[in-house]
Amino acid sequence: MQRDLLSCAAMQTDTVVAPPRSPAALDRFRVDQIEVRTVRLRLNEPFETSFGKIDSRLIILVSLSGEGLTGWGEVVAAEEPRYSYETVGTARHVIRDYFAPAVLERPLADLEDFASRFASFRGHNMAKAGLELAYMDLVAQTRNESISTVIGGTRPEIAVGVSLGIQSSLDQLLRQVEEYLALGYQRIKLKIKPGWDVNVVREVRRRHPEILLSVDANSAYRLKDLPQLQALDQFDLLMIEQPLDHDDLLDHAKIQSVLRTPICLDESITSARRARQALDSGSCRMINIKIGRVGGYSAALAIHDLCYAKGVPVWCGGMLESGIGRAHNIALASLPGFTLPGDISASSRYFARDVIIPAVTVSANGTVGVPRAFGLGFEVDLDYLSANTENVERIKTKNLVS
Ligand code: OSB
Ligand code: MG
């Protein structure tokens, strides 16, 4: 099954063109209020990666309101600057002081115009993306279309996998693998770090010789650890995700040239330009697209189109999103180039109750349906949001000097 997926992707040639997409135009839409809300949701169980363990998510939800409509987005930054330098605090600061005023300044023409408002501000992709997500929800609502339709999505349902954190024991991990396979998930991804890698992968692979299995190091290895990574080659992994530094391309190219297993970059791909450079330099053979990490739909679509044209498989990554970020991920993963299962699990994988109605569910075949309803395709549970809100800031047009 793994080889089928890969050869299917490899069969595509350089002549494949990007799928058709109509321009996301709003024809002068005026946003007059931006709300930045922080909500804390407890995780069902702690989530541990090579950079630490968390037991709740403090999530920024952004909404844009105007002309009688409200669009919702999510900022995926964590509380601490470990996965990336952005945090909940930095995102709130740059949205309040720079990005929201740029959105409110004058009416919006289209997605390109929206993204251009942030072009002169360096970095802070997750904060920018939170606003872009909310904008795309608005665009879809004004057209009476789903976000998937607006961006050129073609899949009525998407394939999903699960990301399993580092556990306190191998037995515990093996139980989790069984549990998620029984629920239908199509791919198991194991978080690894030095000391929790080869032995763990060997045991999971021995018990499950046929499954799609991958690993994610979140930058826990160095060039000198190449033998350790080469030892993973024997397990027929779908990919090794982000073994080296978060901003590296060249050392990844060095190790990809001697590894049989495809490297998939996550942290290192922060823009369409970085994606092109990674592919040109042989740093990876697959890309994990996270809308937040790359700065929004405009960059995510550009990376998708680039990879689609080159026959490079992409898949949708996750950041333990609430239902709002999850709904956007589902829309993104409906694009034709998303040929590998995404890190898009059921709401219940992380949260006892989600902020959207209905919650996201995974079928027994490991798929999630792409909503056809307009906009996000889910209702936002405002009562539940209010009950879990720690802070709300509203930025309005009238506060701005003209
Ligand atoms: O590297 O993909 C990652 C979660 C938080 C930060 C980084 C990552 C992850 C995951 C979980 O792997 C993906 C998910 O289920 O949302
Ligand atoms: Mg990752």
Side-chain angles (χ1 to χ4, degrees):
M1 187 174 179
Q2 298 184 30
R3 296 218 175 73
D4 287 354
L5 270 168
L6 296 179
S7 59
C8 155
M11 265 160 43
Q12 297 177 352
T13 68
D14 280 355
T15 56
V16 174
V17 292
R21 176 177 305 134
S22 50
L26 271 185
D27 195 22
R28 295 185 63 78
F29 188 94
R30 185 176 281 283
V31 171
D32 45 39
Q33 176 175 290
I34 298 180
E35 187 186 89
V36 183
R37 180 187 288 268
T38 46
V39 175
R40 187 175 294 278
L41 297 180
R42 270 170 44 96
L43 294 173
N44 288 335
E45 60 191 16
F47 190 77
E48 183 171 345
T49 64
S50 61
F51 45 68
K53 190 169 173 173
I54 55 168
D55 52 24
S56 72
R57 280 285 278 129
L58 184 64
I59 292 170
I60 302 182
L61 297 175
V62 178
S63 63
L64 303 185
S65 301
E67 308 194 11
L69 299 172
T70 296
W72 288 88
E74 176 165 340
V75 176
V76 298
E79 286 180 81
E80 298 183 356
R82 296 184 190 274
Y83 169 84
S84 97
Y85 65 83
E86 291 191 78
T87 66
V88 169
T90 65
R92 278 182 36 189
H93 156 55
V94 294
I95 292 173
R96 185 208 312 116
D97 294 338
Y98 304 107
F99 301 162
V103 170
L104 294 167
E105 193 179 36
R106 57 182 190 281
L108 295 154
D110 53 23
L111 181 60
E112 204 186 325
D113 175 27
F114 193 87
S116 77
R117 306 285 173 102
F118 311 138
S120 69
F121 297 116
R122 194 162 290 175
H124 297 281
N125 280 353
M126 295 176 181
K128 291 172 180 171
L131 289 160
E132 254 201 37
L133 297 186
Y135 175 74
M136 284 301 273
D137 181 15
L138 276 179
V139 172
Q141 290 180 46
T142 59
R143 292 190 180 184
N144 272 314
E145 287 176 355
S146 67
I147 295 174
S148 166
T149 301
V150 172
I151 64 174
T154 52
R155 300 171 190 277
E157 54 180 29
I158 57 168
V160 300
V162 69
S163 172
L164 299 180
I166 292 163
Q167 304 296 315
S168 51
S169 71
L170 182 56
D171 277 351
Q172 178 71 16
L173 177 70
L174 293 169
R175 274 196 296 275
Q176 288 210 350
V177 171
E178 301 280 349
E179 181 189 338
Y180 287 96
L181 288 174
L183 288 170
Y185 286 88
Q186 295 190 26
R187 183 226 60 202
I188 300 285
K189 162 170 137 182
L190 309 175
K191 291 289 191 180
I192 57 166
K193 64 178 183 183
W196 181 267
D197 48 23
V198 179
N199 291 342
V200 172
V201 175
R202 176 180 291 114
E203 202 46 35
V204 173
R205 183 48 104 196
R206 192 176 67 77
R207 286 165 193 243
H208 305 283
E210 300 296 329
I211 62 169
L212 290 181
L213 184 62
S214 68
V215 294
D216 185 357
N218 288 113
S219 307
Y221 296 85
R222 297 294 166 261
L223 263 187
K224 66 170 173 51
D225 302 319
L226 179 59
Q228 199 71 359
L229 297 170
Q230 279 180 300
L232 293 171
D233 260 344
Q234 60 188 302
F235 303 118
D236 213 7
L237 297 176
L238 184 59
M239 69 190 83
I240 300 175
E241 190 177 335
Q242 195 73 34
L244 307 180
D245 284 281
H246 71 99
D247 57 355
D248 172 77
L249 292 182
L250 295 184
D251 287 347
H252 279 105
K254 266 188 204 160
I255 65 168
Q256 180 66 94
S257 70
V258 294
L259 283 174
R260 194 165 59 84
T261 311
I263 289 178
C264 171
L265 290 179
D266 173 351
E267 285 89 328
S268 290
I269 307 299
T270 49
S271 66
R273 180 172 52 84
R274 295 279 289 168
R276 175 177 51 75
Q277 291 171 345
L279 298 179
D280 285 354
S281 51
S283 310
C284 64
R285 297 189 193 138
M286 296 174 176
I287 289 179
N288 158 337
I289 303 183
K290 291 180 180 168
I291 322 180
R293 192 193 66 229
V294 302
Y297 275 107
S298 40
L301 296 174
I303 296 170
H304 165 270
D305 293 355
L306 171 77
C307 292
Y308 190 72
K310 287 182 178 288
V312 173
V314 301
W315 55 281
C316 182
M319 293 290 289
L320 297 95
E321 286 90 346
S322 82
I324 291 174
R326 206 164 287 276
H328 283 285
N329 287 345
I330 294 167
L332 184 72
S334 73
L335 291 170
F338 284 76
T339 54
L340 297 170
D343 275 347
I344 304 175
S345 39
S347 301
S348 60
R349 150 93 180 104
Y350 291 118
F351 308 109
R353 181 169 161 187
D354 206 339
V355 304
I356 52 167
I357 303 168
V360 173
T361 53
V362 170
S363 75
N365 304 321
T367 60
V368 169
V370 179
R372 275 186 294 249
F374 66 91
L376 211 53
F378 295 86
E379 188 191 325
V380 176
D381 187 342
L382 295 171
D383 292 337
Y384 189 60
L385 273 193
S386 299
N388 291 280
T389 295
E390 293 199 350
N391 180 286
V392 192
E393 284 177 281
R394 296 194 179 87
I395 306 129
K396 294 180 198 239
T397 313
K398 65 172 161 46
N399 294 345
L400 299 173
V401 285
S402 50

